[in-house]
Amino acid sequence: MSQSHQQPALSKCPGCDEPPAAGDLFCGACGYDLSAVPARPDDRPTMAITVPPAASGSEAVRWPAAAETDSSDAPAPVHRPSDLPGTDSGGRPLAEQEQEQVQEQGPLGGPEPSAVPVRHDDRAEPGGAEHSGDFALAAPDPRTAEHTAAAAAPAAGGKVCVACRSGRVDPDGYCENCGHAQPRERDHMEQELGSVAAVSDRGLRHHRNEDSFAVSSTALPDGSPAVVAIVCDGVSSASRPDEASAAAANAANESLLASLPRGTHPQQAMHEAIVAASEAVNALAQEPAGAMEHDAHRHQNAPACTLVGAVMAGELLIVGWVGDSRVYWVPEDRSRPTARLTEDDSWAAQMVAAGLMNEAEAYADERAHAITGWLGADAYELEPHTAAFKPDRPGLVVVCTDGLWNYAESAEEMAAAVPADAQEHPLRGAQVLVGHALDGGGHDNVTVALLPFAVRPQGAGSACETV
């Protein structure tokens, strides 16, 4: 049964230090509840305190002078626990008890003094939790040295969870302790290389980024620069689309860097790069089935992806593609016409080309984004598309996946989304475009590369003319 205890009379209100009237249950000044005054907490600072060593022989401990002074300015005497009068709850004198405790524990009422620093937080000893008032933890206490050491030193080759900082990360990218999904390196990628920049983001709905890109630069035989941007979009319904897009982007980029310095015509070099990318994706389908046994949820059909690329070499702009990723031309002078430089390999594009639907009707159909051309072992046949342009004015080349152009489909909408200073700051421009897609909903992975094309105006004419 519960028991109540009479509270001692207070000389000051704990809330405002005003003296309460006799018999008051509440302070007349601040309203403090005088009947429920909490017990004074023990002072247990978490700090190292060096205890003076015990005196040798039979000499008594030299106590420090007290800070308080009496009315004569003489230091007040320092008391030992045995000098303090009082009784315990049973009415027994405390002098004998205190003296026994002093003899057992040492002159300071604690463990035997030593020169070693002592932590007064009940955690210096392994059993300190029993006296700290903490509840016992079912999981390892992260404050203990063993747990900290284990978290700081994971198994060889292992990773530590970014959320709980203690669990190991399994091959699927999840923490074995708290289950938190770990950020992947490809969730958000950015790269700027001279006058070309690219940004790729997982988006807001997909659990991984299946897009990939490659940007690079090289020199033609005459010493003039050539700039390359490749963007690939993995086919989500295929097996390992993230691996397919990465393999295609790398293979196409390496092919261009090898052929352009040899003097190969940029359009021919783009064609060869698409063929090389296709072979790299086809090779993924030849891997043994055991390579995918760790992920039973992945589809077992052939890896596949789309590809779009642009090369600036000399006065030419070369584009190449397979699938529905696109290239847009945005002139520096926004009063000039913009243009889309690629045609989709998609169901909607076929309906429009056949005259069966107009563009608005075709892209409103649920089958609109079904692609009719891709890179992969199960593609009907490889038909690389290439085109060469000779812009007559400076502008910006936008190379992107449908994760972006879904939110800026027409050339005019894309030009409106491109920031005005993207020509001078392509990385920032790419970041803004990715943000435009994310603000629109981010339903797909988003990848965009920007290539500023600088030429001197050569008079009136179309924004770009096909060679």
Side-chain angles (χ1 to χ4, degrees), residues 191-209:
Q191 186 177 358
E192 185 175 26
L193 182 63
S195 61
V196 60
V199 176
S200 181
D201 192 90
R202 184 186 65 181
L204 305 179
R205 302 296 182 90
H206 282 229
H207 71 282
R208 65 182 173 186
N209 189 0

PDB file of all heavy atoms in Angstrom, residues 191-209:
ATOM      1  N   GLN A 191      28.449  14.869 -62.812  1.00  0.00           N
ATOM      2  CA  GLN A 191      29.797  14.963 -63.362  1.00  0.00           C
ATOM      3  C   GLN A 191      29.879  16.175 -64.272  1.00  0.00           C
ATOM      4  O   GLN A 191      28.971  16.434 -65.074  1.00  0.00           O
ATOM      5  CB  GLN A 191      30.174  13.698 -64.144  1.00  0.00           C
ATOM      6  CG  GLN A 191      31.629  13.697 -64.619  1.00  0.00           C
ATOM      7  CD  GLN A 191      32.009  12.404 -65.320  1.00  0.00           C
ATOM      8  OE1 GLN A 191      31.209  11.478 -65.438  1.00  0.00           O
ATOM      9  NE2 GLN A 191      33.237  12.334 -65.800  1.00  0.00           N
ATOM     10  N   GLU A 192      30.956  16.918 -64.134  1.00  0.00           N
ATOM     11  CA  GLU A 192      31.215  18.054 -65.000  1.00  0.00           C
ATOM     12  C   GLU A 192      32.618  17.914 -65.562  1.00  0.00           C
ATOM     13  O   GLU A 192      33.566  17.677 -64.818  1.00  0.00           O
ATOM     14  CB  GLU A 192      31.079  19.369 -64.229  1.00  0.00           C
ATOM     15  CG  GLU A 192      31.226  20.607 -65.097  1.00  0.00           C
ATOM     16  CD  GLU A 192      30.965  21.878 -64.332  1.00  0.00           C
ATOM     17  OE1 GLU A 192      31.160  21.876 -63.095  1.00  0.00           O
ATOM     18  OE2 GLU A 192      30.559  22.885 -64.946  1.00  0.00           O
ATOM     19  N   LEU A 193      32.726  18.027 -66.870  1.00  0.00           N
ATOM     20  CA  LEU A 193      34.014  17.860 -67.529  1.00  0.00           C
ATOM     21  C   LEU A 193      34.155  18.960 -68.568  1.00  0.00           C
ATOM     22  O   LEU A 193      33.637  18.861 -69.686  1.00  0.00           O
ATOM     23  CB  LEU A 193      34.108  16.475 -68.188  1.00  0.00           C
ATOM     24  CG  LEU A 193      35.427  16.133 -68.885  1.00  0.00           C
ATOM     25  CD1 LEU A 193      36.571  16.098 -67.885  1.00  0.00           C
ATOM     26  CD2 LEU A 193      35.311  14.804 -69.609  1.00  0.00           C
ATOM     27  N   GLY A 194      34.842  20.036 -68.196  1.00  0.00           N
ATOM     28  CA  GLY A 194      35.004  21.146 -69.115  1.00  0.00           C
ATOM     29  C   GLY A 194      33.666  21.760 -69.476  1.00  0.00           C
ATOM     30  O   GLY A 194      32.939  22.286 -68.629  1.00  0.00           O
ATOM     31  N   SER A 195      33.301  21.650 -70.745  1.00  0.00           N
ATOM     32  CA  SER A 195      32.077  22.269 -71.234  1.00  0.00           C
ATOM     33  C   SER A 195      30.889  21.319 -71.285  1.00  0.00           C
ATOM     34  O   SER A 195      29.858  21.650 -71.874  1.00  0.00           O
ATOM     35  CB  SER A 195      32.318  22.842 -72.637  1.00  0.00           C
ATOM     36  OG  SER A 195      32.681  21.801 -73.537  1.00  0.00           O
ATOM     37  N   VAL A 196      30.989  20.149 -70.697  1.00  0.00           N
ATOM     38  CA  VAL A 196      29.881  19.205 -70.680  1.00  0.00           C
ATOM     39  C   VAL A 196      29.623  18.773 -69.244  1.00  0.00           C
ATOM     40  O   VAL A 196      30.557  18.629 -68.450  1.00  0.00           O
ATOM     41  CB  VAL A 196      30.169  17.976 -71.582  1.00  0.00           C
ATOM     42  CG1 VAL A 196      31.419  17.245 -71.115  1.00  0.00           C
ATOM     43  CG2 VAL A 196      28.980  17.031 -71.621  1.00  0.00           C
ATOM     44  N   ALA A 197      28.351  18.594 -68.908  1.00  0.00           N
ATOM     45  CA  ALA A 197      27.984  18.187 -67.553  1.00  0.00           C
ATOM     46  C   ALA A 197      26.765  17.282 -67.634  1.00  0.00           C
ATOM     47  O   ALA A 197      25.947  17.387 -68.558  1.00  0.00           O
ATOM     48  CB  ALA A 197      27.698  19.396 -66.674  1.00  0.00           C
ATOM     49  N   ALA A 198      26.635  16.393 -66.661  1.00  0.00           N
ATOM     50  CA  ALA A 198      25.509  15.467 -66.625  1.00  0.00           C
ATOM     51  C   ALA A 198      25.105  15.212 -65.181  1.00  0.00           C
ATOM     52  O   ALA A 198      25.940  15.225 -64.271  1.00  0.00           O
ATOM     53  CB  ALA A 198      25.867  14.148 -67.320  1.00  0.00           C
ATOM     54  N   VAL A 199      23.810  14.975 -64.990  1.00  0.00           N
ATOM     55  CA  VAL A 199      23.247  14.658 -63.676  1.00  0.00           C
ATOM     56  C   VAL A 199      22.247  13.531 -63.861  1.00  0.00           C
ATOM     57  O   VAL A 199      21.463  13.521 -64.826  1.00  0.00           O
ATOM     58  CB  VAL A 199      22.553  15.884 -63.039  1.00  0.00           C
ATOM     59  CG1 VAL A 199      21.900  15.499 -61.712  1.00  0.00           C
ATOM     60  CG2 VAL A 199      23.539  17.016 -62.832  1.00  0.00           C
ATOM     61  N   SER A 200      22.275  12.569 -62.942  1.00  0.00           N
ATOM     62  CA  SER A 200      21.328  11.456 -62.965  1.00  0.00           C
ATOM     63  C   SER A 200      20.781  11.254 -61.569  1.00  0.00           C
ATOM     64  O   SER A 200      21.531  11.319 -60.587  1.00  0.00           O
ATOM     65  CB  SER A 200      22.010  10.169 -63.456  1.00  0.00           C
ATOM     66  OG  SER A 200      21.088   9.091 -63.499  1.00  0.00           O
ATOM     67  N   ASP A 201      19.471  10.997 -61.464  1.00  0.00           N
ATOM     68  CA  ASP A 201      18.832  10.828 -60.159  1.00  0.00           C
ATOM     69  C   ASP A 201      17.838   9.675 -60.217  1.00  0.00           C
ATOM     70  O   ASP A 201      17.195   9.436 -61.254  1.00  0.00           O
ATOM     71  CB  ASP A 201      18.118  12.111 -59.743  1.00  0.00           C
ATOM     72  CG  ASP A 201      17.689  12.090 -58.286  1.00  0.00           C
ATOM     73  OD1 ASP A 201      18.486  12.519 -57.430  1.00  0.00           O
ATOM     74  OD2 ASP A 201      16.577  11.625 -58.002  1.00  0.00           O
ATOM     75  N   ARG A 202      17.714   8.988 -59.090  1.00  0.00           N
ATOM     76  CA  ARG A 202      16.814   7.839 -59.004  1.00  0.00           C
ATOM     77  C   ARG A 202      15.356   8.238 -59.184  1.00  0.00           C
ATOM     78  O   ARG A 202      14.531   7.434 -59.623  1.00  0.00           O
ATOM     79  CB  ARG A 202      16.986   7.164 -57.635  1.00  0.00           C
ATOM     80  CG  ARG A 202      16.186   5.903 -57.446  1.00  0.00           C
ATOM     81  CD  ARG A 202      16.315   5.394 -56.026  1.00  0.00           C
ATOM     82  NE  ARG A 202      15.730   6.333 -55.072  1.00  0.00           N
ATOM     83  CZ  ARG A 202      15.727   6.133 -53.756  1.00  0.00           C
ATOM     84  NH1 ARG A 202      16.309   5.063 -53.251  1.00  0.00           N
ATOM     85  NH2 ARG A 202      15.166   7.014 -52.958  1.00  0.00           N
ATOM     86  N   GLY A 203      14.999   9.468 -58.877  1.00  0.00           N
ATOM     87  CA  GLY A 203      13.599   9.876 -58.916  1.00  0.00           C
ATOM     88  C   GLY A 203      12.921   9.587 -57.593  1.00  0.00           C
ATOM     89  O   GLY A 203      13.558   9.203 -56.604  1.00  0.00           O
ATOM     90  N   LEU A 204      11.611   9.766 -57.550  1.00  0.00           N
ATOM     91  CA  LEU A 204      10.862   9.652 -56.307  1.00  0.00           C
ATOM     92  C   LEU A 204      10.053   8.370 -56.197  1.00  0.00           C
ATOM     93  O   LEU A 204       9.497   8.092 -55.126  1.00  0.00           O
ATOM     94  CB  LEU A 204       9.909  10.859 -56.168  1.00  0.00           C
ATOM     95  CG  LEU A 204      10.568  12.239 -56.250  1.00  0.00           C
ATOM     96  CD1 LEU A 204       9.522  13.334 -56.118  1.00  0.00           C
ATOM     97  CD2 LEU A 204      11.645  12.390 -55.185  1.00  0.00           C
ATOM     98  N   ARG A 205       9.970   7.587 -57.252  1.00  0.00           N
ATOM     99  CA  ARG A 205       9.118   6.397 -57.217  1.00  0.00           C
ATOM    100  C   ARG A 205       9.899   5.089 -57.364  1.00  0.00           C
ATOM    101  O   ARG A 205       9.439   4.060 -56.904  1.00  0.00           O
ATOM    102  CB  ARG A 205       8.061   6.480 -58.331  1.00  0.00           C
ATOM    103  CG  ARG A 205       7.172   7.724 -58.241  1.00  0.00           C
ATOM    104  CD  ARG A 205       6.338   7.741 -56.987  1.00  0.00           C
ATOM    105  NE  ARG A 205       5.460   8.893 -56.916  1.00  0.00           N
ATOM    106  CZ  ARG A 205       4.223   8.929 -57.388  1.00  0.00           C
ATOM    107  NH1 ARG A 205       3.738   7.872 -58.032  1.00  0.00           N
ATOM    108  NH2 ARG A 205       3.480  10.008 -57.271  1.00  0.00           N
ATOM    109  N   HIS A 206      11.053   5.124 -58.000  1.00  0.00           N
ATOM    110  CA  HIS A 206      11.801   3.891 -58.244  1.00  0.00           C
ATOM    111  C   HIS A 206      12.713   3.573 -57.055  1.00  0.00           C
ATOM    112  O   HIS A 206      13.206   4.478 -56.380  1.00  0.00           O
ATOM    113  CB  HIS A 206      12.639   4.009 -59.521  1.00  0.00           C
ATOM    114  CG  HIS A 206      11.830   3.844 -60.773  1.00  0.00           C
ATOM    115  ND1 HIS A 206      12.199   3.011 -61.799  1.00  0.00           N
ATOM    116  CD2 HIS A 206      10.659   4.408 -61.165  1.00  0.00           C
ATOM    117  CE1 HIS A 206      11.308   3.063 -62.776  1.00  0.00           C
ATOM    118  NE2 HIS A 206      10.367   3.919 -62.404  1.00  0.00           N
ATOM    119  N   HIS A 207      12.943   2.292 -56.821  1.00  0.00           N
ATOM    120  CA  HIS A 207      13.799   1.897 -55.704  1.00  0.00           C
ATOM    121  C   HIS A 207      15.272   1.885 -56.078  1.00  0.00           C
ATOM    122  O   HIS A 207      16.119   1.703 -55.206  1.00  0.00           O
ATOM    123  CB  HIS A 207      13.388   0.517 -55.184  1.00  0.00           C
ATOM    124  CG  HIS A 207      13.725  -0.618 -56.118  1.00  0.00           C
ATOM    125  ND1 HIS A 207      12.982  -0.899 -57.235  1.00  0.00           N
ATOM    126  CD2 HIS A 207      14.723  -1.525 -56.081  1.00  0.00           C
ATOM    127  CE1 HIS A 207      13.513  -1.949 -57.850  1.00  0.00           C
ATOM    128  NE2 HIS A 207      14.574  -2.337 -57.187  1.00  0.00           N
ATOM    129  N   ARG A 208      15.598   2.083 -57.351  1.00  0.00           N
ATOM    130  CA  ARG A 208      16.998   2.170 -57.762  1.00  0.00           C
ATOM    131  C   ARG A 208      17.071   2.995 -59.042  1.00  0.00           C
ATOM    132  O   ARG A 208      16.058   3.209 -59.730  1.00  0.00           O
ATOM    133  CB  ARG A 208      17.589   0.782 -57.994  1.00  0.00           C
ATOM    134  CG  ARG A 208      16.954   0.020 -59.153  1.00  0.00           C
ATOM    135  CD  ARG A 208      17.539  -1.361 -59.324  1.00  0.00           C
ATOM    136  NE  ARG A 208      16.808  -2.119 -60.329  1.00  0.00           N
ATOM    137  CZ  ARG A 208      17.026  -3.393 -60.598  1.00  0.00           C
ATOM    138  NH1 ARG A 208      17.972  -4.051 -59.931  1.00  0.00           N
ATOM    139  NH2 ARG A 208      16.322  -4.018 -61.520  1.00  0.00           N
ATOM    140  N   ASN A 209      18.269   3.445 -59.366  1.00  0.00           N
ATOM    141  CA  ASN A 209      18.495   4.223 -60.577  1.00  0.00           C
ATOM    142  C   ASN A 209      18.948   3.285 -61.685  1.00  0.00           C
ATOM    143  O   ASN A 209      20.032   2.700 -61.612  1.00  0.00           O
ATOM    144  CB  ASN A 209      19.547   5.310 -60.329  1.00  0.00           C
ATOM    145  CG  ASN A 209      19.656   6.285 -61.488  1.00  0.00           C
ATOM    146  OD1 ASN A 209      18.955   6.164 -62.495  1.00  0.00           O
ATOM    147  ND2 ASN A 209      20.543   7.262 -61.358  1.00  0.00           N
TER     148      ASN A 209
END
